[in-house]
Amino acid sequence: MNLVTLSLVSLLICASGYTRASIHVYDRDPFREVGNAYLVSGGSEGLAASRTPNPLPRHTDPVNVNDGRSYIRFQNITFRRSEASAAKYSKTQRRTGLVQVIIFEAADRDNIGGSPYGGQRSICCTPDLAKVEGCKQGEVIRIPSARDSSWPVTVNVYFRGKSLTAQLKTTEAPISKTGMYNLFFISCDSSLKGMTMSGQTSWKGPDGYLPGRMAPLKKFYVIMAIAYALLCVAWFSQYVRFWDDVLQLQHCISVVVGVGLFEMILWYFDYAYFNNTGTRPVALTTWVVTVGAARRTVSRLLMLCVSMGYGVVRPTLGGLTTKVMLIGVTYFLSTELLNITEYVGAISDIAGRARVILVLPNALLDAFLIMWIFTSLSKTLTQLQAKRSSVKLDTYRKFSNALLITVILAVVWIGYEVGSLQIYVLWQYQEFLLNTFN
């Protein structure tokens, strides 16, 4: 198992390099044709509103991640068109191609695009839409938001003369309302077909670069680390006190408790680094998810062994040892792959869809383990009743009740996570692309 894990980790580190999330990097990204427009998706993230005013940026100053400001910063954004497209114009012409930068909050997604007669929506203004909507032909249809007429934000970038490139000056779009924000680079000029773009955008919240849905997790892991530290103190004090009576299973439980504390500390450092830099260190994140996968695997195998009565009604697992180890290795690899896809890969819609696919085998393994645990627990309770071991029987009944409550809470949490995160983010984002950009 160690060899397989190390090989998998090494492969991912070599392949992924340095994963970026809140700092979105574009490297000659091509504009794709959608409806009557050409576009590149610049990202979609939740951002909290600024706590302090957003003054005009001084780009020579270092970025202070705790300055209370929220913004989307554009840096070195360069659009490159083909030579054939540039050859259609003369050197003296001032504006020979338009690219528009569009930023909008999820609630204002219907304010981009329009339909002249209630049919298919268009991103760009057509002659019919110019009459109905009063938009400017050849530009993105933008309807001012009811809450703020300056939103959605639109920035125009023009090609000049025969130039092959057009650049957007380093600038910031301040965020004054908490919400889910989307960024698109759009052109309505058919002569710009085949255009590419490079550069980067930095999405910063009032406390740092963590995306909105991840920002609370930094404090959460501090609380969890403290909780695990208190648990370690309570457990190991009793562990030392009753050292002569400690069972082999309790040694394993001690390892799980210690690894849990180590995992929470690693998670905090991972999120702190991400928050301060806008990038996620692949090596550290991979270590965190590997430690987490190992902890989850060992804890489930311990519950299975206890349910089978190991150390209580049977001295060994006998012929079940191979089966237990096999399900353990399978569960570890499944959990490791799922967590790497979710946390080590770039935070994007593609990673989200991959997670939905990978979560199914992991959930099936969890369900199989739960069924095996309760089946074994039932047999152990029956054996203890037959032997009339009242003390052990009472202990196992308490364990059974606690385990049942834990399983119910886990199912509720999984339902909440799937419902609030996967369905909302993925479905809403896909709905926007399908309904507005088609």
PDB file of all heavy atoms in Angstrom, residues 21-22 45-47 203 208-216 274 347:
ATOM      1  N   ALA A  21      -5.754  28.648  -7.710  1.00  0.00           N
ATOM      2  CA  ALA A  21      -7.199  28.680  -7.555  1.00  0.00           C
ATOM      3  C   ALA A  21      -7.681  30.120  -7.558  1.00  0.00           C
ATOM      4  O   ALA A  21      -8.190  30.610  -8.547  1.00  0.00           O
ATOM      5  CB  ALA A  21      -7.591  27.972  -6.275  1.00  0.00           C
ATOM      6  N   SER A  22      -7.496  30.875  -6.455  1.00  0.00           N
ATOM      7  CA  SER A  22      -7.948  32.251  -6.410  1.00  0.00           C
ATOM      8  C   SER A  22      -7.121  33.153  -7.322  1.00  0.00           C
ATOM      9  O   SER A  22      -7.550  34.250  -7.648  1.00  0.00           O
ATOM     10  CB  SER A  22      -7.898  32.778  -4.977  1.00  0.00           C
ATOM     11  OG  SER A  22      -8.950  32.210  -4.229  1.00  0.00           O
ATOM     12  N   GLU A  45     -16.320  32.518  -8.492  1.00  0.00           N
ATOM     13  CA  GLU A  45     -16.009  32.314  -7.076  1.00  0.00           C
ATOM     14  C   GLU A  45     -16.931  33.140  -6.200  1.00  0.00           C
ATOM     15  O   GLU A  45     -17.446  34.175  -6.621  1.00  0.00           O
ATOM     16  CB  GLU A  45     -14.557  32.704  -6.772  1.00  0.00           C
ATOM     17  CG  GLU A  45     -13.526  31.723  -7.280  1.00  0.00           C
ATOM     18  CD  GLU A  45     -12.125  32.073  -6.804  1.00  0.00           C
ATOM     19  OE1 GLU A  45     -12.014  32.832  -5.819  1.00  0.00           O
ATOM     20  OE2 GLU A  45     -11.159  31.597  -7.415  1.00  0.00           O
ATOM     21  N   GLY A  46     -17.105  32.673  -4.973  1.00  0.00           N
ATOM     22  CA  GLY A  46     -17.844  33.440  -3.980  1.00  0.00           C
ATOM     23  C   GLY A  46     -16.909  34.424  -3.295  1.00  0.00           C
ATOM     24  O   GLY A  46     -15.805  34.064  -2.899  1.00  0.00           O
ATOM     25  N   LEU A  47     -17.353  35.674  -3.184  1.00  0.00           N
ATOM     26  CA  LEU A  47     -16.545  36.705  -2.531  1.00  0.00           C
ATOM     27  C   LEU A  47     -17.398  37.452  -1.520  1.00  0.00           C
ATOM     28  O   LEU A  47     -18.560  37.776  -1.791  1.00  0.00           O
ATOM     29  CB  LEU A  47     -15.990  37.694  -3.563  1.00  0.00           C
ATOM     30  CG  LEU A  47     -14.900  37.189  -4.509  1.00  0.00           C
ATOM     31  CD1 LEU A  47     -14.590  38.246  -5.556  1.00  0.00           C
ATOM     32  CD2 LEU A  47     -13.635  36.826  -3.740  1.00  0.00           C
ATOM     33  N   TRP A 203      -8.511  36.982  -7.235  1.00  0.00           N
ATOM     34  CA  TRP A 203      -9.809  37.154  -6.584  1.00  0.00           C
ATOM     35  C   TRP A 203      -9.567  37.192  -5.079  1.00  0.00           C
ATOM     36  O   TRP A 203      -9.308  36.168  -4.453  1.00  0.00           O
ATOM     37  CB  TRP A 203     -10.748  36.012  -6.938  1.00  0.00           C
ATOM     38  CG  TRP A 203     -10.982  35.831  -8.410  1.00  0.00           C
ATOM     39  CD1 TRP A 203     -10.039  35.660  -9.381  1.00  0.00           C
ATOM     40  CD2 TRP A 203     -12.247  35.799  -9.074  1.00  0.00           C
ATOM     41  NE1 TRP A 203     -10.631  35.519 -10.602  1.00  0.00           N
ATOM     42  CE2 TRP A 203     -11.990  35.593 -10.450  1.00  0.00           C
ATOM     43  CE3 TRP A 203     -13.572  35.894  -8.647  1.00  0.00           C
ATOM     44  CZ2 TRP A 203     -13.006  35.496 -11.389  1.00  0.00           C
ATOM     45  CZ3 TRP A 203     -14.591  35.805  -9.578  1.00  0.00           C
ATOM     46  CH2 TRP A 203     -14.310  35.618 -10.940  1.00  0.00           C
ATOM     47  N   GLY A 208      -8.420  37.675   2.719  1.00  0.00           N
ATOM     48  CA  GLY A 208      -7.414  36.934   1.973  1.00  0.00           C
ATOM     49  C   GLY A 208      -7.971  36.335   0.699  1.00  0.00           C
ATOM     50  O   GLY A 208      -9.056  36.701   0.232  1.00  0.00           O
ATOM     51  N   TYR A 209      -7.231  35.393   0.145  1.00  0.00           N
ATOM     52  CA  TYR A 209      -7.558  34.838  -1.164  1.00  0.00           C
ATOM     53  C   TYR A 209      -8.460  33.609  -1.134  1.00  0.00           C
ATOM     54  O   TYR A 209      -8.824  33.099  -2.186  1.00  0.00           O
ATOM     55  CB  TYR A 209      -6.267  34.461  -1.897  1.00  0.00           C
ATOM     56  CG  TYR A 209      -5.464  35.657  -2.366  1.00  0.00           C
ATOM     57  CD1 TYR A 209      -4.293  36.025  -1.712  1.00  0.00           C
ATOM     58  CD2 TYR A 209      -5.879  36.405  -3.459  1.00  0.00           C
ATOM     59  CE1 TYR A 209      -3.551  37.118  -2.139  1.00  0.00           C
ATOM     60  CE2 TYR A 209      -5.147  37.494  -3.898  1.00  0.00           C
ATOM     61  CZ  TYR A 209      -3.984  37.850  -3.232  1.00  0.00           C
ATOM     62  OH  TYR A 209      -3.267  38.929  -3.651  1.00  0.00           O
ATOM     63  N   LEU A 210      -8.812  33.114   0.040  1.00  0.00           N
ATOM     64  CA  LEU A 210      -9.666  31.928   0.088  1.00  0.00           C
ATOM     65  C   LEU A 210     -11.018  32.220  -0.558  1.00  0.00           C
ATOM     66  O   LEU A 210     -11.642  33.240  -0.257  1.00  0.00           O
ATOM     67  CB  LEU A 210      -9.889  31.480   1.534  1.00  0.00           C
ATOM     68  CG  LEU A 210      -8.782  30.650   2.180  1.00  0.00           C
ATOM     69  CD1 LEU A 210      -9.105  30.399   3.642  1.00  0.00           C
ATOM     70  CD2 LEU A 210      -8.590  29.330   1.451  1.00  0.00           C
ATOM     71  N   PRO A 211     -11.489  31.343  -1.462  1.00  0.00           N
ATOM     72  CA  PRO A 211     -12.822  31.519  -2.036  1.00  0.00           C
ATOM     73  C   PRO A 211     -13.881  31.531  -0.943  1.00  0.00           C
ATOM     74  O   PRO A 211     -13.681  30.980   0.148  1.00  0.00           O
ATOM     75  CB  PRO A 211     -12.985  30.290  -2.948  1.00  0.00           C
ATOM     76  CG  PRO A 211     -11.587  29.870  -3.263  1.00  0.00           C
ATOM     77  CD  PRO A 211     -10.783  30.188  -2.032  1.00  0.00           C
ATOM     78  N   GLY A 212     -15.028  32.144  -1.240  1.00  0.00           N
ATOM     79  CA  GLY A 212     -16.062  32.329  -0.233  1.00  0.00           C
ATOM     80  C   GLY A 212     -16.487  31.057   0.474  1.00  0.00           C
ATOM     81  O   GLY A 212     -16.643  31.037   1.700  1.00  0.00           O
ATOM     82  N   ARG A 213     -16.659  29.957  -0.280  1.00  0.00           N
ATOM     83  CA  ARG A 213     -17.125  28.725   0.340  1.00  0.00           C
ATOM     84  C   ARG A 213     -16.056  28.040   1.175  1.00  0.00           C
ATOM     85  O   ARG A 213     -16.352  27.145   1.962  1.00  0.00           O
ATOM     86  CB  ARG A 213     -17.647  27.749  -0.727  1.00  0.00           C
ATOM     87  CG  ARG A 213     -16.589  27.172  -1.648  1.00  0.00           C
ATOM     88  CD  ARG A 213     -17.218  26.256  -2.690  1.00  0.00           C
ATOM     89  NE  ARG A 213     -16.250  25.709  -3.615  1.00  0.00           N
ATOM     90  CZ  ARG A 213     -15.575  24.589  -3.408  1.00  0.00           C
ATOM     91  NH1 ARG A 213     -15.765  23.907  -2.298  1.00  0.00           N
ATOM     92  NH2 ARG A 213     -14.721  24.138  -4.304  1.00  0.00           N
ATOM     93  N   MET A 214     -14.795  28.480   1.025  1.00  0.00           N
ATOM     94  CA  MET A 214     -13.705  27.856   1.766  1.00  0.00           C
ATOM     95  C   MET A 214     -13.201  28.733   2.913  1.00  0.00           C
ATOM     96  O   MET A 214     -12.509  28.240   3.802  1.00  0.00           O
ATOM     97  CB  MET A 214     -12.540  27.555   0.815  1.00  0.00           C
ATOM     98  CG  MET A 214     -12.889  26.599  -0.315  1.00  0.00           C
ATOM     99  SD  MET A 214     -11.551  26.433  -1.508  1.00  0.00           S
ATOM    100  CE  MET A 214     -10.306  25.630  -0.512  1.00  0.00           C
ATOM    101  N   ALA A 215     -13.538  30.024   2.894  1.00  0.00           N
ATOM    102  CA  ALA A 215     -13.014  30.959   3.892  1.00  0.00           C
ATOM    103  C   ALA A 215     -13.296  30.534   5.337  1.00  0.00           C
ATOM    104  O   ALA A 215     -12.408  30.628   6.194  1.00  0.00           O
ATOM    105  CB  ALA A 215     -13.565  32.363   3.626  1.00  0.00           C
ATOM    106  N   PRO A 216     -14.514  30.051   5.664  1.00  0.00           N
ATOM    107  CA  PRO A 216     -14.764  29.667   7.068  1.00  0.00           C
ATOM    108  C   PRO A 216     -13.955  28.460   7.535  1.00  0.00           C
ATOM    109  O   PRO A 216     -13.823  28.236   8.741  1.00  0.00           O
ATOM    110  CB  PRO A 216     -16.271  29.331   7.075  1.00  0.00           C
ATOM    111  CG  PRO A 216     -16.835  29.993   5.859  1.00  0.00           C
ATOM    112  CD  PRO A 216     -15.725  29.937   4.842  1.00  0.00           C
ATOM    113  N   PHE A 274      -2.837  29.096   1.461  1.00  0.00           N
ATOM    114  CA  PHE A 274      -3.748  29.412   0.358  1.00  0.00           C
ATOM    115  C   PHE A 274      -4.320  30.816   0.529  1.00  0.00           C
ATOM    116  O   PHE A 274      -4.383  31.618  -0.418  1.00  0.00           O
ATOM    117  CB  PHE A 274      -4.870  28.368   0.340  1.00  0.00           C
ATOM    118  CG  PHE A 274      -5.758  28.411  -0.873  1.00  0.00           C
ATOM    119  CD1 PHE A 274      -5.550  29.313  -1.905  1.00  0.00           C
ATOM    120  CD2 PHE A 274      -6.815  27.528  -0.987  1.00  0.00           C
ATOM    121  CE1 PHE A 274      -6.373  29.338  -3.019  1.00  0.00           C
ATOM    122  CE2 PHE A 274      -7.646  27.539  -2.093  1.00  0.00           C
ATOM    123  CZ  PHE A 274      -7.426  28.464  -3.106  1.00  0.00           C
ATOM    124  N   ILE A 347      -9.546  24.383  -8.367  1.00  0.00           N
ATOM    125  CA  ILE A 347     -10.936  24.537  -7.987  1.00  0.00           C
ATOM    126  C   ILE A 347     -11.693  25.062  -9.194  1.00  0.00           C
ATOM    127  O   ILE A 347     -11.637  26.236  -9.529  1.00  0.00           O
ATOM    128  CB  ILE A 347     -11.072  25.517  -6.809  1.00  0.00           C
ATOM    129  CG1 ILE A 347     -10.325  24.987  -5.598  1.00  0.00           C
ATOM    130  CG2 ILE A 347     -12.532  25.759  -6.459  1.00  0.00           C
ATOM    131  CD1 ILE A 347     -10.314  25.910  -4.439  1.00  0.00           C
TER     132      ILE A 347
END
